[in-house]
Amino acid sequence: MNAAPQVTEIGPRDTGLQAAFCDFIPQVFGRADFRRWCQWGEWTDDYRGFAVLEEGRVVANTAVMRMRLLVEGREVEAWQLGAVGCVPSHRGRGLSQVVMNATLDACGDAPMLLFANPRVLQYYPRFGFQPCKQTLFAAAYEARPEGPLAPRLDLENATVRAGLSALSSEGLPVTERFGARGYSTAASWHMANGFARPLLRLGDDAWISAGVEGDTLYIDDIFAREPFDLRAWVPRLIDRPIRTVHFGFTPERWWPEAAEAGEDQEAFLFVRGLSLSHEPHGFPVLART
C-alpha cells in the first residue's frame, strides 16, 4: 500500500520552495504569477503554502492568507484560501484533496473563505464550504475630465509599497459590511500581475485604484485615512466623459446611492465557519486571493 503523499509547508523564508511554488503557478493558473510579488518582499508571515513536492517540483498546492475581515463592522480573524490546484500530469490522484486537508488541519476552527471559478463549484462543499452570493454595485453619474489627472503610483517603488501597507492597515476600511483591513499584500499581488486598475494618488492620505473603460469609471478600491468627497475627485480620475461608476466593493460609505447591478459571476465566494451580512455585499476585489 502506497503511503500518503507528504505535504510541505512553504513560508516567507523558504526561498528555494518559493521558487518551486512560482514555477507551479503558471502551469495551473495561466497568466497568474508570483515572481514579481516575491521579489517585492510581499510574501509575509501571513501567507503560507501547503504543497506536495516531487523531485523538487510543486505538483499540488493550496495556500492561505491571514485576513482581518470586517463583517458588519466586527473584526474577524480568518484565513482566505487561494492557489488551489494540481499540475495537469498529476491530476486524478487525489493530491488536491491531500493539500486541502492539510491546509484545513493547519487552520483549525478559524473562519475561512475562498473565491472559486465556475469550473469547480461542486468541489468545495465537500470540505464544508458554503456558497455565498456576491453583489455588483454601480451608480449613474455623468462627469467630464477637469484639471490634471491624479498622478499614478508605481509599486516597483518600495516607498510606495510601504505607503500602501500603512494606508491599508491604519486607514479607513473601504467597506465594513463585508470587507477587510490590512490586505495590502493581496492588493499588491493583483497589481504585480496587471490584474488591477492604476493606483492613483489623491494626496498623502488617500490613494485609489481606478480606471476608465468606455464611458464607465471602475473603482477597484480606496485606501484612505479619513473620509473625503469622492465625487469631487471623479473629474481628475477620468480622461473622457463618463456616464456610470462601477465599484469593486460595497460602496455604502463612499457612494450610498449606488444600486445593485447584478450578481458577480466572475468569482464565486465560498465560506466556512463564517456568518455574513444579510445585506447585499461584494468583498473588495483587491482583497481576494
Side-chain angles (χ1 to χ4, degrees):
M1 184 179 221
N2 293 331
Q6 182 178 351
V7 176
T8 300
E9 184 174 337
I10 306 174
R13 286 163 286 282
D14 302 320
T15 54
L17 293 175
Q18 282 183 14
F21 173 91
C22 289
D23 289 339
F24 160 83
I25 291 296
Q27 297 179 61
V28 180
F29 302 103
R31 289 180 54 217
D33 202 322
F34 276 74
R35 292 181 179 87
R36 193 179 186 195
W37 186 75
C38 288
Q39 291 168 1
W40 287 352
E42 295 291 274
W43 189 319
T44 69
D45 288 330
D46 288 334
Y47 195 77
R48 302 157 67 187
F50 296 86
V52 173
L53 293 119
E54 188 175 281
E55 298 179 350
R57 296 173 56 228
V58 173
V59 296
N61 181 84
T62 296
V64 289
M65 178 174 282
R66 192 191 316 271
M67 303 293 296
R68 296 166 59 193
L69 299 182
L70 287 165
V71 181
E72 296 180 317
R74 177 174 57 94
E75 187 163 315
V76 179
E77 293 288 334
W79 294 97
Q80 183 174 183
L81 273 74
V84 180
C86 183
V87 297
S89 60
H90 287 64
R91 290 172 185 165
R93 303 185 190 181
L95 296 182
S96 292
Q97 181 172 342
V98 169
V99 291
M100 277 290 295
N101 287 334
T103 304
L104 295 178
D105 288 344
C107 295
D109 295 329
M112 304 184 79
L113 72 155
L114 64 87
F115 285 87
N117 65 59
R119 299 189 304 273
V120 292
L121 298 185
Q122 305 305 314
Y123 180 69
Y124 293 106
R126 71 184 68 173
F127 297 99
F129 287 89
Q130 301 296 322
C132 184
K133 177 182 176 180
Q134 291 293 274
T135 301
L136 300 172
F137 295 91
Y141 189 72
E142 296 191 9
R144 294 181 173 275
E146 183 178 332
L149 287 172
R152 186 167 179 167
L153 293 160
D154 187 354
L155 259 69
E156 287 286 355
N157 186 322
T159 301
V160 172
R161 296 196 299 273
L164 180 63
S165 177
L167 285 175
S168 178
S169 296
E170 303 163 9
L172 194 66
V174 71
T175 174
E176 295 191 6
R177 187 173 297 172
F178 179 40
R181 185 192 298 277
Y183 55 88
S184 66
T185 53
S188 67
W189 181 85
H190 289 273
M191 296 172 188
N193 279 270
F195 296 157
R197 292 176 175 86
L199 184 63
L200 307 174
R201 182 181 183 276
L202 309 187
D204 290 342
D205 295 328
W207 297 358
I208 187 169
S209 174
V212 177
E213 296 178 22
D215 62 358
T216 300
L217 171 64
Y218 290 87
I219 300 177
D220 286 344
D221 214 323
I222 299 170
F223 303 94
R225 294 190 186 275
E226 301 290 343
F228 62 88
D229 185 355
L230 177 58
R231 287 174 179 80
W233 275 97
V234 167
R236 294 191 57 190
L237 302 177
I238 59 178
D239 59 0
R240 71 196 81 165
I242 64 161
R243 301 181 66 183
T244 311
V245 182
H246 281 241
F247 302 90
F249 51 89
T250 313
E252 82 279 5
R253 169 181 287 121
W254 298 100
W255 210 294
E257 298 83 10
E260 296 179 46
E263 185 174 354
D264 188 344
Q265 297 289 335
E266 292 189 5
F268 293 83
L269 173 66
F270 286 82
V271 299
R272 185 175 187 261
L274 188 63
S275 296
L276 300 183
S277 170
H278 296 296
E279 297 293 325
H281 54 73
F283 193 66
V285 295
L286 297 191
R288 303 177 185 182
T289 65

